[in-house]
Amino acid sequence: MKPQPALKAVVVGAGPVGCLTAMSLVQLGWHVTLYERRPDLRSNSLHTNSEEHPRQHPRQRSINLTLSSRGIAAVQAINQGVVERLLHNAVPLQGRLVHFLNGNTQSQRYDRHGQCLHSIDRGLLNAILLDAAASTKNISIHFSHKVESVDFDRRTLHVRNTASSQEIDVDFDLCIGADGSHSVIRRFLMQTTQMEYSQHYLSHEYVEIRMPRGVDTSGQPTFLLDPDHLHVWPREEFTMVALPNKDKTFICALFAPKTVFDVLQSPGALSPFFKKFFPDLLLLLGEKHLERELQNNPRSHLITTKANPYHKGCVVILGDAAHSMVPFYGQGLNCALEDVRVLSILLRKEQERLSGAHELDHNSAAISRVLDRYSESRHNDLVAICDLAMENHLKLRHGVATWSYMIKGFIDNILYAISEKSAFMDYSTLTQIISSPKAPSAWIPLYTMVSFRPDIPYSVAKKKAERQERLIDRFGMGLGILGVGYFFWAVLQRSSM
Ligand SMILES: NC(=O)C1=CN([C@@H]2O[C@H](COP(=O)(O)OP(=O)(O)OC[C@H]3O[C@@H](n4cnc5c(N)ncnc54)[C@H](OP(=O)(O)O)[C@@H]3O)[C@@H](O)[C@H]2O)C=CC1
Ligand SMILES: Nc1ccccc1C(=O)C[C@H](N)C(=O)O
């Protein structure tokens, strides 16, 4: 059934998830009001950091986002034009470039078919999604409006206009909390449901370091590092990454234990540290620049939060409000956008099921049923990707620079090449179905499943990869035993001569 025009959804937070959710609900026939506590970010940062308008001021809020197939499929399900605009303003990354301590580098491709991650400035991505939401009929956006509380029984939000201090109560049929890691909606859910909730702070923090663009031999602006790669300097206890922007700058981030940053703040400590661990960056950026960046840019913490369930009645949390993950898999944004796709499919199915029967607005039980299904079906996948993101921290700090990682990757890719049927998938099916009903039987590397196969749920990818890894380990062990056997056989042969 088509919902009545009176059906009202409120979305809290106009970040990427809030904007996409609003657009997806309008497609289903809802009227949406979006409340964002910050002023409109487009008024001072619109189109900054794009190719045409390089960024004037470094944003101090987050490392670049990496958009991969899951995020793209989720946006594509709602608005193909937005995908094109996002990709136009992003830099495609074919793989990671590992910088070894001895100065050597190694390119590790993300996918043997050249599928890419897309590096994009967070503010720019948000501005593009805001533009699209703001120009969509039946969405009204209120900036500088902070949601202070939610009443689950009366289905109302209490909202304060932070500019005028005026306070209002807003009623809703469906409320989506897309209000980020420190979600107010989650806080109220926790007070009224038996929500399982955990948060884990990493002992590592990170500081961003901006890498300006350089100038080539003909005087044109150029990237100081290869822009086709995400750069990684694995140094065991800590790691540096660098992601390119469309304006030819890079955003680097140093991830290190708090104690390392404390030491770096003492006078004269910075130069010897960079000389020892990142001499190439010291040469590129210079001591003064590094000192300025490390002293002026804030130290940010890294947190994983997990919750369950994600809803009560007609109120649900999506994106960072429901699950914050560490950035090392580059899936935080993709997973958050996928939340929107999953919820939208479940809502549409329920609306179709009710077609001609009840009206959804007289039937809050139907909305609540959809949200039950959402929490139930989504939880294992969210836990899986939060855990995978943590595991990738170890890989980026150390694993990617080891022989065992490289050999396993090599075998993984050979088996992938032998067994695969089709590398690319048609995202259009993902507007109707959440994922394929069955895990593919072909051998597929974990990285490909997570980043480039939105039809495979995260939890299925994780389990399948664990099985595959056990097989590679057994194969490796088998080879090892054969090798040792051959060695002893050769020794015996010699001594009997
Ligand atoms: N690369 C990185 O380091 C980071 C990446 N991300 C990624 O961004 C993706 C999408 O994030 P998303 O879930 O949209 O969350 P976001 O944090 O991007 O957006 C939430 C928005 O809601 C606003 N808000 C918070 N509380 C209220 C309130 N009470 N009333 C009204 N507005 C409120 C927030 O303002 P305010 O910001 O002032 O709280 C923010 O603008 C995530 O997947 C995540 O991985 C997110 C954080 C860091
Ligand atoms: N976006 C990031 C931000 C910070 C650190 C890493 C990333 C990555 O995306 C890493 C990538 N997934 C990799 O495995 O090479």
Side-chain angles (χ1 to χ4, degrees):
M1 59 134 264
K2 197 110 178 101
Q4 299 290 299
L7 263 187
K8 261 184 70 178
V10 290
V11 177
V12 186
V17 171
C19 293
L20 193 69
T21 307
M23 289 189 274
S24 79
L25 288 171
V26 164
Q27 269 191 349
L28 296 174
W30 293 72
H31 284 213
V32 183
T33 312
L34 232 166
Y35 294 102
E36 165 57 49
R37 80 164 167 203
R38 291 180 183 238
D40 188 346
L41 69 88
R42 294 168 301 167
S43 48
N44 49 24
S45 76
L46 181 63
H47 303 159
T48 57
N49 211 21
S50 65
E51 203 169 29
E52 299 83 13
H53 304 271
R55 168 157 64 185
Q56 301 300 319
H57 308 286
R59 290 181 64 257
Q60 300 201 325
R61 214 181 136 214
S62 99
I63 319 158
N64 274 25
L65 297 171
T66 44
L67 200 54
S68 68
S69 303
R70 277 177 205 272
I72 294 172
V75 181
Q76 189 160 315
I78 289 148
N79 190 326
Q80 171 61 28
V82 173
V83 172
E84 279 155 25
R85 223 182 135 198
L86 289 174
L87 295 184
H88 175 73
N89 283 285
V91 182
L93 307 171
Q94 310 263 348
R96 65 173 85 93
L97 195 77
V98 180
H99 295 250
F100 296 95
L101 201 50
N102 63 6
N104 290 343
T105 56
Q106 186 194 48
S107 168
Q108 300 178 347
R109 287 169 81 85
Y110 287 134
D111 179 70
R112 58 186 295 276
H113 299 283
Q115 297 190 85
C116 294
L117 304 185
H118 300 269
S119 166
I120 183 165
D121 174 80
R122 183 191 166 93
L124 183 58
L125 171 123
N126 205 161
I128 291 171
L129 285 164
L130 261 175
D131 263 356
S135 59
T136 304
K137 203 171 150 222
N138 295 337
I139 296 180
S140 64
I141 309 182
H142 301 272
F143 293 101
S144 305
H145 277 67
K146 182 170 186 247
V147 171
E148 303 214 304
S149 63
V150 53
D151 185 324
F152 295 93
D153 298 326
R154 288 176 50 227
R155 289 197 264 161
T156 55
L157 283 183
H158 188 69
V159 186
R160 188 166 54 86
N161 178 333
T162 53
S164 67
S165 296
Q166 194 198 355
E167 305 203 4
I168 45 167
D169 281 329
V170 183
D171 54 347
F172 60 79
D173 299 300
L174 170 64
C175 168
I176 311 277
D179 48 344
S181 301
H182 305 289
S183 169
V184 161
I185 304 299
R186 185 185 65 225
R187 184 151 51 81
F188 278 86
L189 278 173
M190 283 167 79
Q191 286 167 10
T192 53
T193 55
Q194 293 177 340
M195 179 192 268
E196 300 275 338
Y197 179 75
S198 69
Q199 61 178 40
H200 170 72
Y201 281 95
L202 234 70
S203 56
H204 283 61
E205 296 182 335
Y206 71 90
V207 173
E208 286 183 22
I209 300 168
R210 198 176 45 90
M211 181 183 285
R213 44 192 188 171
V215 182
D216 68 13
T217 43
S218 54
Q220 293 302 310
T222 186
F223 288 101
L224 286 179
L225 296 168
D226 170 10
D228 294 338
H229 286 90
L230 181 151
H231 295 257
V232 189
W233 290 257
R235 298 294 182 260
E236 303 214 354
E237 203 190 354
F238 41 82
T239 187
M240 177 86 81
V241 301
L243 289 116
N245 281 309
K246 204 66 200 249
D247 66 358
K248 300 190 167 58
T249 61
F250 271 86
I251 294 290
C252 311
L254 174 61
F255 296 89
K258 296 177 183 77
T259 44
V260 170
F261 283 119
D262 291 342
V263 170
L264 281 181
Q265 270 173 348
S266 45
L270 198 123
S271 179
F273 175 81
F274 271 82
K275 249 187 211 138
K276 183 165 176 198
F277 295 109
F278 309 107
D280 44 354
L281 285 176
L282 184 62
L283 212 66
L284 272 179
L285 296 173
E287 196 178 328
K288 284 262 145 28
H289 178 82
L290 280 169
E291 214 165 69
R292 244 193 335 267
E293 292 286 305
L294 281 164
Q295 268 162 18
N296 295 341
N297 294 346
R299 272 159 68 166
S300 305
H301 58 251
L302 294 156
I303 190 172
T304 301
T305 63
K306 294 176 184 163
N308 191 31
Y310 305 98
H311 76 288
K312 178 186 176 179
C314 298
V315 179
V316 66
I317 46 174
L318 304 182
D320 273 19
H323 47 80
S324 298
M325 68 191 76
V326 291
F328 303 105
Y329 223 115
Q331 280 298 304
L333 169 74
N334 295 286
C335 170
L337 298 175
E338 190 176 71
D339 288 352
V340 181
R341 185 177 68 79
V342 171
L343 178 64
S344 159
I345 289 175
L346 293 175
L347 266 173
R348 183 185 315 121
K349 278 192 181 156
E350 186 67 13
Q351 291 186 188
E352 283 165 5
R353 201 181 67 78
L354 287 177
S355 179
H358 307 285
E359 289 161 3
L360 213 52
D361 55 344
H362 295 312
N363 200 344
S364 61
I367 296 175
S368 167
R369 245 192 334 265
V370 172
L371 301 188
D372 279 344
R373 253 174 247 144
Y374 175 80
S375 280
E376 240 172 69
S377 61
R378 194 73 182 131
H379 183 60
N380 286 345
D381 293 330
L382 297 178
V383 169
I385 189 58
C386 285
D387 293 345
L388 285 169
M390 280 291 275
E391 287 168 22
N392 224 41
H393 183 207
L394 274 184
K395 286 190 185 150
L396 292 185
R397 268 165 60 192
H398 174 65
V400 294
T402 61
W403 277 105
S404 68
Y405 178 88
M406 293 173 215
I407 293 169
K408 274 185 182 175
F410 180 70
I411 298 172
D412 213 13
N413 269 306
I414 289 183
L415 294 169
Y416 180 31
I418 295 170
S419 77
E420 80 183 316
K421 292 187 185 88
S422 126
F424 294 91
M425 64 157 314
D426 176 11
Y427 296 153
S428 64
T429 57
L430 295 177
T431 57
Q432 306 296 330
I433 54 158
I434 292 169
S435 56
S436 305
K438 249 178 66 193
S441 55
W443 186 286
I444 313 176
L446 175 63
Y447 205 89
T448 298
M449 287 193 276
V450 168
S451 301
F452 307 121
R453 289 293 300 262
D455 58 321
I456 307 177
Y458 288 123
S459 57
V460 174
K462 186 166 182 279
K463 272 210 191 95
K464 185 175 162 65
E466 282 162 2
R467 269 198 311 276
Q468 292 180 167
E469 186 159 359
R470 274 197 299 275
L471 284 174
I472 293 186
D473 285 345
R474 273 185 216 150
F475 175 70
M477 217 189 303
L479 273 186
I481 291 170
L482 274 180
V484 171
Y486 176 76
F487 173 77
F488 280 115
W489 178 80
V491 170
L492 280 176
Q493 289 292 95
R494 277 192 170 204
S495 54
S496 64
M497 267 187 214

